[in-house]
Amino acid sequence: MKKLPILFAVLFVALVLVMSSLFIVDERQKALVLQFGQIKSVKEEPGLAFKIPFIQEVVYYDDRILSLETPEIEVTPSDDRRLLVDAFARYRIADVVRFRQAVSTGGVRFAEDRLKGILNAQLREVLGADTVTSNTVISADRAELARRIRDQARAEAASLGVDIVDVRLKQTFLPDQNLEATFARMRAEREREAADERARGEEAAQRVRAQADRTVVELESDARRQAEITRGEADAEKNRIYAEAYGADPDFFEFYRSLDAYRAGLKGSNTTMVMSPDSEFFDYLKSDQGK
């Protein structure tokens, strides 16, 4: 009976030792087994694993893709227009051994501080290149700039055992002190474009008016020509008719022409004519008794 408590004690110690030597690696994690700070083994596959109890310890690292936001920094593209830029990066711990050697006990927080410094340096280098202007940064070409930042930052981050998966430029805007000057320049450019458009519109209007005036002159000239032709044809027809009438009855024709002359010469009620009484003009006004 006295051996029973000892047996329980032995079983308890054995159970503690077994439980202390077992650890579980989640599918979202990687694990390092350390002995007195030195790396003894790496566990990257999920499942149950063993370690020496009380001597070895396990450190876990996230195997998922992690997010990192850089602080806002000021960059100066080649056109000397200062910009405030911040970026968003996604990364993962690719080499857990190198990561541990690079950050030691600092962990992810220390690694992210290093990554922010790398990204900020690459932001300034890429966005400050000779071929990059502020318009390039805010245009569709910013995707290509972000790719260049990612590729260059990835090469440096490899020394930390980190793989930078993606980098995106979040916000790009002007410092407050530059906004008013930029707005003034934009207003001046828009006013210049508006003046150019008005000048081109006035030039087009002048061309249209000149063409319209020319068309009016041509139409009036053609109308006058047609009127003269018609008038000439009418006079010719009139003369032809007069000639036919004269040939048919000369006396009646002379009488008709005299009536036209009276009508034209004796207009109104106060017409004065000075001529000889025996003028032929009055032949058809004389009565037979006066002869």
Side-chain angles (χ1 to χ4, degrees):
M1 294 295 294
K2 293 181 180 180
K3 294 181 180 181
L4 189 59
I6 298 175
L7 179 61
F8 279 121
V10 171
L11 290 176
F12 177 76
V13 171
L15 181 61
V16 170
L17 291 174
V18 170
M19 294 300 296
S20 300
S21 64
L22 295 176
F23 65 94
I24 298 174
V25 180
D26 190 270
E27 64 269 14
R28 297 166 295 181
Q29 295 176 323
K30 294 180 180 180
L32 290 178
V33 178
L34 305 178
Q35 182 173 329
F36 305 117
Q38 301 297 317
I39 300 174
K40 291 301 181 180
S41 63
V42 180
K43 305 297 182 182
E44 296 185 346
E45 297 298 326
L48 191 65
F50 297 91
K51 65 180 180 66
I52 300 175
F54 307 116
I55 297 177
Q56 295 180 338
E57 60 175 329
V58 180
V59 179
Y60 296 95
Y61 294 101
D62 203 322
D63 194 34
R64 295 173 295 180
I65 294 178
L66 305 176
S67 300
L68 173 66
E69 294 186 6
T70 66
E72 184 179 283
I73 63 171
E74 186 175 289
V75 298
T76 305
S78 59
D79 56 355
D80 293 330
R81 293 175 62 185
R82 292 185 299 168
L83 297 174
L84 295 177
V85 179
D86 57 358
F88 173 81
R90 299 178 68 83
Y91 73 96
R92 62 186 297 271
I93 301 173
D95 188 337
V96 68
V97 174
R98 181 176 293 182
F99 184 82
R100 175 69 184 187
Q101 293 172 343
V103 304
S104 185
T105 59
V108 173
R109 184 186 296 265
F110 178 79
E112 288 189 345
D113 289 339
R114 294 276 302 276
L115 285 176
K116 288 177 182 178
I118 293 172
L119 289 170
N120 288 342
Q122 295 306 320
L123 281 170
R124 288 192 171 91
E125 180 177 343
V126 173
L127 300 185
D130 292 339
T131 58
V132 177
T133 66
S134 56
N135 290 332
T136 307
V137 177
I138 62 178
S139 70
D141 294 335
R142 62 189 290 151
E144 174 62 20
L145 296 176
R147 187 190 64 77
R148 288 168 54 189
I149 293 170
R150 181 203 65 190
D151 293 345
Q152 294 180 199
R154 177 181 286 172
E156 293 192 35
S159 63
L160 298 175
V162 171
D163 178 35
I164 297 180
V165 178
D166 190 21
V167 174
R168 299 295 176 91
L169 299 178
K170 287 177 57 182
Q171 298 185 87
T172 305
F173 51 92
L174 293 168
D176 292 339
Q177 61 269 27
N178 292 357
L179 286 177
E180 187 59 36
T182 301
F183 290 153
R185 182 167 59 253
M186 292 173 64
R187 282 194 296 268
E189 290 176 354
R190 299 294 87 77
E191 289 172 357
R192 179 183 57 78
E193 291 175 0
D196 291 343
E197 289 294 331
R198 284 194 294 269
R200 285 192 289 270
E202 183 62 28
E203 180 182 355
Q206 290 290 350
R207 287 197 299 269
V208 172
R209 283 194 289 267
Q211 183 62 36
D213 292 342
R214 178 180 176 181
T215 302
V216 168
V217 171
E218 291 176 350
L219 291 174
E220 289 180 347
S221 176
D222 186 65
R224 283 194 295 270
R225 183 178 62 82
Q226 293 294 333
E228 291 296 334
I229 292 173
T230 302
R231 189 177 295 110
E233 292 175 349
D235 290 341
E237 181 66 17
K238 180 183 70 172
N239 292 333
R240 186 188 63 80
I241 293 172
Y242 281 163
E244 290 180 357
Y246 181 76
D249 190 349
D251 293 336
F252 177 77
F253 183 75
E254 289 181 2
F255 174 72
Y256 181 78
R257 295 294 299 271
S258 297
L259 291 180
D260 280 344
Y262 296 154
R263 186 182 302 110
L266 300 176
K267 288 183 178 180
S269 60
N270 190 20
T271 301
T272 301
M273 300 181 68
V274 179
M275 61 181 63
S276 174
D278 57 353
S279 173
E280 293 180 358
F281 183 77
F282 296 107
D283 285 350
Y284 290 98
L285 295 180
K286 298 175 183 179
S287 64
D288 292 340
Q289 295 177 357
K291 291 184 179 180

